[in-house]
Amino acid sequence: MSVLEVRDLTVKFYTGEGVVTAVDGLNYSIDRGEKFGVVGESGAGKSVTALSLMRLIERPGYIESGQILFKGQDLLELSDAEMRRIRGNEIAMVFQDAQTALNPVYTVGEQISEALRHHLDYGEAEAKERTIELLDTVGIPAAESRYSDYPHEFSGGMQQRAIIAMALSCDPDLLICDEPTTALDVTIEAKILEEIEALADEFDTAIQLITHDLGVIAEVCDRVMVMYAGSPVETASAEELFYDPKHPYTVGLMSAIPRIGDRRESLQTIPGTMPDLVELPPGCSFHPRCPFAEEACTRRDPPLMDPETGADVSDDPGVERAAACLAHSGDLEQDLDYDVTVREPDGHTETTVTDGDGRV
Amino acid sequence: MGLQRFILKRLLLIPPILFGVSIVTFALVHLTPGDPVSQMVAMNPNVDAAQEAELRARYGLDDPLVVQYVDWMAGVLQGDFGEVYGSSQDAAGVLVARLPETIALGLFGWVFALVIAIPTGIYAAVKKDQLGDTVSRFLALSGISIPNFWLGLMLILLFPLTLGGWPVLPPRESLASPAMLWYLVLPGITVGTASAAAIMRVMRTSMAEELNKEYVTAARAKGLPERTIILKHVLRNSLISVVTLAATLTAGIVAGSVVVEVVFSWPGLGREFVDAIHGREINLIMAITLFIGLFIVIMNLVADVLYAMLDPRIRYD
Amino acid sequence: MTERTTERGRIQVTGFDPERVTERDPLSGWTEETGTETKSRWKRVFGRFVRNRTAMIGLVVVLFMSLLAILARPVEFFGFAVQPLSLAPYPPGDMLYADPTVDVSRNEAPSWAHPFGTDGSGRDIFSRVLYGGRYSISIGFVVVALAASFGMVYGSVSGYYGGWVDEIMMRVVDVVLAFPMLVLALVIVAMFGGGYWQLVAAFAVVGWASYARLIRGEVLTIKENEYVLAAKALGARDRSVILKHVTPNAVAPVIVLATLNIGTVVIGVAALGFLGLGMPPGSAEWGSMLEGGRDAIIPGPGGEIRWWITVFPGAAIFLFVMSMNMIGDGVNDALDAQETGAEMRGGQ
């Protein structure tokens, strides 16, 4: 059963330069205890999606349409007070930059226990005790004495752990992690990710993990949605996404990951940058950066399709496998001629697993 | 470094600054043509040259400047600021006698400023770019632009004279009597207006800036009510910028009280200062100036300590 | 899970060829550059300032009042009329009740002939208010120009040399800043006497210190900057580095401070005038006019209140300072330099 179901979510920002459609008709769902990844470059609409779930979009942004069904209830229809009971309590958020997400003038302990006091009606002493427990759980040594430390007395990794403790404090059903490790060193990143994963399993919490890093997705997620310019371009299980990507943008992201023992001359990055959301390119918004683009791509904006049949599945939030590329509806003249190879551990033998059309 | 050592270090910095302050005051007063004796002589043609010389010798005005300064400083360190020529009163005595009136006025001004400015600043920041914000910003801009002496005159023109009954010119009564509070209202408002406006502007700007920070989103994501977020999380951070202003604003209130006391005939130190300047009462001018310098230096210290208490990130060095 | 982690490094994608995009003709008319501005920083600042309605109103009022002050009476240099116009109907010092050709008495309420009324000496307040701008406005600009130039040189020297030179120079600044601007100016004017240049000197002597502190701070920041260290490493001399990098960075906060400072000085000059210590008594300076009209707030012989005597000169100061502050705010917003402390304005 899905804990979260997002239907046709559209978020617009009314700026001086024009109307920005940050999220355009988004559909997806997350099952109880599932780890769901959202990946894309900055500006793809990932963070706006996350804030929409919490109804924390601020002026000049507005949620224009859609439904956010959390345990069957539409969050967009709740009153402000009802929504506040859900925030931090049933849906919690881990922020990208722990240093800025912590208030510098209050102790870390106070900032965690304040949520406990607010949502669970804990007393002063009770909240403190539970907070110390939480700090200990997320791996902060000497949690008891650390309780009354200020954020600046914590290292970056510890700050992020504190933020995670804060998010887990009220045992939420859904944890939204917005680039939780981007600000951290690589060594700490791995530890924090493991921590999030273990804790989510322990608390049976569903996770929506937002990142621009496919490596992070590979480490944590069960299912993935790739976003580009405010819309999803591909959804798949993590396994399928890596072995059998169906959208050129996913392929581009994958080929931009540097690898040890890479024999290519240079890293193949995706040319150009994410378009300004005020004025999107006509047709498929990825076509100006897509090596496989054809004339047809400038005329039609492809919906999410079943890559096997080419059927439009864009209205189904629970769809298992979909990609928004005209290649799958047979509208392109050429094939998507890329290959995914898996190198054997010895580094020499290579097996071509698949190419864009799914032929092995 | 702990807070105590920090305070101690700052305290040690005070004497050299005051030394400089005293030199500046002394030099200004003594390097000018025409000493008080020549003025006395000018006003009283019966004094002959011998008497004039005797007067000069009595006040030590014939000694070299350095000697005069050392004499004066030696006295100051023992609490003796010299006498007031016109009245044969002691300058320190006049200062102490008039000080309570000025403190009462300044405190009233400060309280008025804070009571008006903090809520308005919060309101304007929360309603940023809406009508309420525009109106309060306009009022704040007017507040920092209006000359306080004119504001005082206009208040006198509007309240006591046309509306009738509001007391303006204070009688010679003890400050402690409750009736004096009424006389304090208009000068207090006048002296506090500029500070209120300045605090409101800082409050609005820093609060609006803080409201955009991620810890606010994080606090909202925790499900805290908006009131808690603003009054607990954001307010304390914004107050830090107000505290950094405190010393400057106190200086403004001190300077403001000089003018405002004249407007309202308030019997405080400021009016005494202006009278001393008109009467060239050198000892009194120097005593009051030195006192103001000391007061502002101490206020700077207080502001630093408050700042350190509000912001745990500050390191005392 | 761990399985995928180890496999992560082994998946490799080939065939995603960026060159195909860079070398082909654009498929549609859409380009990435739509709408991006490439104007220079100062052009953008200027554009923002001009679009700020409040600031433009302030600018218009300041220019208008300055123009009125210049055109109020003829300006003569060595007997030459440089500016022959005379918008003010009467000479500001003339006691009109003594003039048989003018039908007016003392303390006359505003009328068509005397829009702002006449004062206790029968002088035309409208003419005096127009003319009075000459003192306040020009002193404001001259003082700020002098204080800013001296302060900037002082601050650069202090920050540039550093060490004990800096230490001593900054203690001097501390001493000056230990006084409220008005108190020190009061003592100076009291000792050296009133008058135009005495006022300029008094406020300039007090005002330079905040510029010195500001510029020193900028110099110190610049000295620490990586690009300056890089420039030094490449053999550039300190002095040229500082001149090249400090100037553009420090100009913005100095402009903001200076704009707001003009208003402070104008109020300060008027305050001294009001205390009877500025221009000679009876001058058409705004503050002195208020001083002369103080007794007018108490009901006159007929019980009437001669409000016009105090309202108009004070309103002129208020209007000018307010407009100046509106410009200052606009400059501040345009430069986005909130950290320069534009919100505060002490020393009133």
Side-chain angles (χ1 to χ4, degrees):
Chain A
M1 184 216 155
S2 59
V3 65
L4 179 80
E5 198 173 313
V6 173
R7 285 187 188 157
D8 193 31
L9 180 71
T10 301
V11 182
K12 291 187 176 169
F13 285 77
Y14 294 84
T15 70
E17 279 93 58
V19 181
V20 176
T21 308
V23 174
D24 192 6
L26 189 63
N27 286 292
Y28 69 95
S29 72
I30 302 178
D31 286 343
R32 196 168 282 281
E34 187 183 29
K35 298 174 194 73
F36 184 76
V38 179
V39 70
E41 291 162 291
S42 51
K46 298 165 298 173
S47 295
V48 173
T49 309
L51 289 172
S52 306
L53 300 186
M54 298 285 257
R55 270 183 44 192
L56 285 175
I57 298 287
E58 283 177 66
R59 283 187 306 139
Y62 298 93
I63 297 176
E64 292 279 298
S65 62
Q67 283 179 311
I68 299 172
L69 299 169
F70 177 70
K71 297 200 281 193
Q73 190 176 28
D74 189 356
L75 296 183
L76 298 180
E77 281 172 3
L78 296 182
S79 72
D80 284 350
E82 287 168 325
M83 189 61 218
R84 273 200 299 274
R85 269 197 288 281
I86 289 182
R87 279 186 208 138
N89 190 10
E90 296 185 61
I91 306 179
M93 194 154 170
V94 174
F95 288 84
Q96 170 171 358
D97 187 354
Q99 198 185 344
T100 58
L102 288 166
N103 190 334
V105 301
Y106 287 102
T107 61
V108 173
E110 164 62 21
Q111 292 183 60
I112 297 173
S113 62
E114 118 185 288
L116 287 167
R117 294 198 305 265
H118 180 71
H119 287 299
L120 307 179
D121 279 330
Y122 276 34
E124 207 59 56
E126 217 178 346
K128 180 170 179 178
E129 196 182 319
R130 175 84 182 112
T131 302
I132 293 172
E133 228 174 85
L134 280 163
L135 286 174
D136 192 55
T137 315
V138 295
I140 288 179
E144 185 138 20
S145 64
R146 285 300 201 163
Y147 178 90
S148 42
D149 274 5
Y150 286 96
H152 71 276
E153 294 167 301
F154 272 40
S155 69
M158 290 210 301
Q159 285 173 345
Q160 194 54 280
R161 284 166 198 267
I163 287 279
I164 292 169
M166 193 185 292
L168 291 174
S169 61
C170 298
D171 192 7
D173 292 313
L174 174 63
L175 187 64
I176 304 168
C177 302
D178 188 357
E179 308 261 8
T181 55
T182 309
L184 302 176
D185 289 344
V186 185
T187 45
I188 302 167
E189 170 177 72
K191 274 194 208 136
I192 294 277
L193 288 176
E194 267 169 46
E195 204 85 60
I196 291 179
E197 222 182 311
L199 290 168
D201 288 339
E202 187 189 326
F203 289 79
D204 195 25
T205 304
I207 290 183
Q208 174 172 329
L209 177 73
I210 294 166
T211 179
H212 64 275
D213 183 351
L214 278 173
V216 171
I217 296 280
E219 225 153 301
V220 180
C221 294
D222 306 324
R223 241 162 18 96
V224 190
M225 171 168 74
V226 183
M227 281 185 81
Y228 186 79
S231 309
V233 291
E234 180 163 3
T235 45
S237 72
E239 209 111 354
E240 282 175 310
L241 189 83
F242 285 103
Y243 288 104
D244 186 13
K246 291 293 186 194
H247 194 281
Y249 180 58
T250 315
V251 176
L253 286 177
M254 284 171 68
S255 54
I257 304 174
R259 293 195 169 76
I260 300 166
D262 216 324
R263 274 166 292 166
R264 286 173 299 176
E265 284 286 308
S266 64
L267 208 58
Q268 281 158 326
T269 54
I270 307 174
T273 53
M274 175 86 67
D276 184 0
L277 293 177
V278 176
E279 203 176 338
L280 283 178
C284 171
S285 50
F286 185 58
H287 87 255
R289 305 173 67 191
C290 178
F292 312 107
E294 296 177 8
E295 232 257 291
C297 298
T298 67
R299 274 182 274 122
R300 206 180 133 211
D301 183 16
L304 274 179
M305 299 179 262
D306 184 318
E308 302 298 327
T309 63
D312 184 338
V313 292
S314 57
D315 289 335
D316 178 7
V319 67
E320 283 296 321
R321 189 83 180 95
C325 181
L326 290 177
H328 307 303
S329 58
D331 285 318
L332 296 192
E333 287 160 24
Q334 305 280 316
D335 287 336
L336 302 177
D337 52 351
Y338 53 79
D339 295 304
V340 178
T341 23
V342 178
R343 276 183 288 144
E344 294 306 319
D346 60 27
H348 294 294
T349 29
E350 294 185 358
T351 330
T352 299
V353 178
T354 180
D355 67 11
D357 298 323
R359 288 173 306 206
V360 179
Chain B
M1 225 197 296
L3 188 61
Q4 282 164 354
R5 279 197 61 195
F6 168 70
I7 295 177
L8 193 74
K9 200 180 153 196
R10 294 302 310 259
L11 278 174
L12 288 176
L13 269 176
I14 292 183
I17 293 184
L18 280 186
F19 180 65
V21 166
S22 71
I23 288 185
V24 168
T25 331
F26 189 85
L28 270 178
V29 172
H30 285 84
L31 287 176
T32 50
D35 57 40
V37 171
S38 34
Q39 201 159 14
M40 281 185 202
V41 173
M43 284 190 291
N44 190 350
N46 297 332
V47 181
D48 61 34
Q51 283 171 307
E52 194 183 329
E54 194 198 323
L55 273 173
R56 275 181 210 285
R58 192 172 133 209
Y59 293 122
L61 294 172
D62 290 327
D63 296 333
L65 267 185
V66 180
V67 177
Q68 286 190 43
Y69 174 77
V70 171
D71 281 350
W72 175 68
M73 208 55 213
V76 166
L77 291 177
Q78 295 161 24
D80 175 17
F81 286 84
E83 63 184 71
V84 178
Y85 305 122
S87 68
S88 73
Q89 245 183 313
D90 162 25
V94 173
L95 200 153
V96 171
R98 294 305 185 86
L99 192 55
E101 313 276 348
T102 296
I103 289 179
L105 180 63
L107 266 183
F108 192 103
W110 249 119
V111 171
F112 170 77
L114 289 177
V115 166
I116 295 286
I118 304 257
T120 324
I122 296 174
Y123 171 81
V126 173
K127 303 267 174 202
K128 192 162 185 272
D129 297 329
Q130 295 173 34
L131 182 67
D133 175 38
T134 313
V135 172
S136 36
R137 273 169 70 199
F138 179 78
L139 288 179
L141 190 65
S142 312
I144 62 161
S145 307
I146 200 164
N148 48 14
F149 46 94
W150 187 62
L151 175 64
L153 292 176
M154 292 301 104
L155 285 179
I156 295 175
L157 209 54
L158 279 177
F159 279 85
L161 297 181
T162 51
L163 300 183
W166 197 289
V168 184
L169 302 180
R172 287 257 166 208
E173 225 180 298
S174 153
L175 250 189
S177 77
M180 286 299 271
L181 197 62
W182 287 111
Y183 293 99
L184 200 53
V185 172
L186 290 183
I189 289 175
T190 311
V191 100
T193 296
S195 302
I199 295 174
M200 191 243 133
R201 279 158 62 91
V202 172
M203 196 69 206
R204 174 186 176 272
T205 311
S206 70
M207 190 120 188
E209 207 170 288
E210 293 293 329
L211 275 171
N212 278 330
K213 292 206 171 150
E214 186 144 88
Y215 73 80
V216 177
T217 314
R220 287 192 181 126
K222 262 192 263 180
L224 299 177
E226 202 61 20
R227 179 201 296 263
T228 312
I229 293 171
I230 287 171
L231 295 184
K232 180 179 173 186
H233 287 271
V234 184
L235 183 62
R236 182 153 165 200
N237 280 288
S238 337
L239 279 180
I240 292 173
S241 352
V242 173
V243 164
T244 56
L245 253 189
T248 318
L249 291 179
T250 309
I253 283 186
V254 168
S257 66
V258 171
V259 181
V260 171
E261 286 180 10
V262 172
V263 175
F264 288 91
S265 299
W266 185 255
L269 210 52
R271 217 183 74 181
E272 197 63 45
F273 187 54
V274 175
D275 287 347
I277 283 174
H278 279 295
R280 286 189 152 251
E281 288 290 357
I282 288 180
N283 287 338
L284 195 51
I285 294 175
M286 289 198 296
I288 295 177
T289 315
L290 198 62
F291 177 78
I292 290 176
L294 172 71
F295 180 68
I296 286 170
V297 170
I298 289 175
M299 283 313 291
N300 268 309
L301 176 72
V302 172
D304 282 349
V305 172
L306 265 178
Y307 183 72
M309 274 160 47
L310 273 175
D311 190 347
R313 286 163 298 182
I314 189 115
R315 279 167 306 156
Y316 312 113
D317 49 29
Chain C
M1 312 272 153
T2 38
E3 241 177 64
R4 282 211 301 261
T5 315
T6 49
E7 276 181 352
R8 172 184 174 189
R10 293 194 290 136
I11 299 173
Q12 190 177 55
V13 174
T14 47
F16 187 88
D17 186 3
E19 281 175 20
R20 276 207 243 170
V21 175
T22 43
E23 281 166 16
R24 75 176 172 216
D25 291 330
L27 292 169
S28 60
W30 188 89
T31 52
E32 268 178 35
E33 277 74 33
T34 36
T36 45
E37 287 176 86
T38 45
K39 279 188 275 181
S40 79
R41 177 170 181 236
W42 288 108
K43 268 192 184 150
R44 278 203 312 272
V45 167
F46 183 74
R48 270 202 295 265
F49 180 72
V50 172
R51 262 178 280 129
N52 185 334
R53 224 182 325 140
T54 325
M56 289 323 278
I57 294 175
L59 189 64
V60 168
V61 173
V62 164
L63 289 178
F64 185 66
M65 288 182 83
S66 311
L67 204 65
L68 282 185
I70 294 171
L71 300 181
R73 303 298 300 171
V75 180
E76 290 187 359
F77 270 115
F78 307 107
F80 259 116
V82 183
Q83 190 286 109
L85 293 173
S86 140
L87 289 184
Y90 305 98
D94 275 14
M95 304 189 180
L96 300 176
Y97 68 92
D99 185 342
T101 61
V102 187
D103 172 30
V104 73
S105 59
R106 306 176 198 202
N107 295 322
E108 203 162 274
S111 61
W112 280 113
H114 304 280
F116 291 178
T118 60
D119 66 9
S121 306
R123 291 172 293 207
D124 180 53
I125 296 180
F126 179 69
S127 306
R128 286 169 71 75
V129 167
L130 285 196
Y131 189 83
R134 286 195 181 176
Y135 300 109
S136 304
I137 298 175
S138 64
I139 291 179
F141 281 96
V142 173
V143 164
V144 166
L146 287 176
S149 337
F150 180 74
M152 284 169 79
V153 172
Y154 188 98
S156 320
V157 170
S158 181
Y160 170 71
Y161 285 105
W164 62 270
V165 177
D166 178 47
E167 197 64 37
I168 291 176
M169 288 179 84
M170 278 303 119
R171 291 296 81 77
V172 174
V173 168
D174 283 348
V175 167
V176 175
L177 290 178
F179 296 101
M181 184 175 189
L182 185 73
V183 170
L184 204 52
L186 208 63
V187 177
I188 296 175
V189 168
M191 293 303 140
F192 291 88
Y196 189 91
W197 290 107
Q198 284 87 334
L199 283 173
V200 167
F203 282 96
V205 161
V206 181
W208 62 273
S210 34
Y211 295 92
R213 185 177 270 183
L214 183 72
I215 291 293
R216 172 186 171 265
E218 291 291 333
V219 173
L220 288 187
T221 322
I222 301 293
K223 267 167 97 177
E224 298 292 310
N225 258 349
E226 279 178 45
Y227 61 86
V228 173
L229 292 180
K232 272 188 186 169
L234 291 171
R237 285 187 319 146
D238 278 13
R239 201 173 324 203
S240 65
V241 167
I242 285 193
L243 272 182
K244 194 169 157 201
H245 294 286
V246 171
T247 323
N249 278 291
V251 158
V254 165
I255 292 176
V256 175
L257 184 61
T259 330
L260 295 166
N261 217 203
I262 290 175
T264 318
V265 171
V266 168
I267 288 192
V269 168
L272 288 192
F274 176 75
L275 296 175
L277 290 163
M279 302 300 292
S283 303
E285 193 269 323
W286 292 333
S288 311
M289 288 168 71
L290 285 177
E291 201 274 324
R294 263 180 73 195
D295 51 352
I297 55 168
I298 293 158
E304 43 132 34
I305 295 164
R306 290 158 288 153
W307 53 269
W308 57 90
I309 294 179
T310 44
V311 166
F312 292 112
I317 307 172
F318 181 35
L319 188 63
F320 181 80
V321 175
M322 176 108 170
S323 309
M324 218 53 232
N325 285 337
M326 276 153 73
I327 299 175
D329 279 2
V331 174
N332 189 49
D333 288 350
L335 291 165
D336 206 25
Q338 268 112 354
E339 74 276 12
T340 55
E343 311 305 328
M344 46 183 270
R345 211 202 41 143
Q348 201 189 73

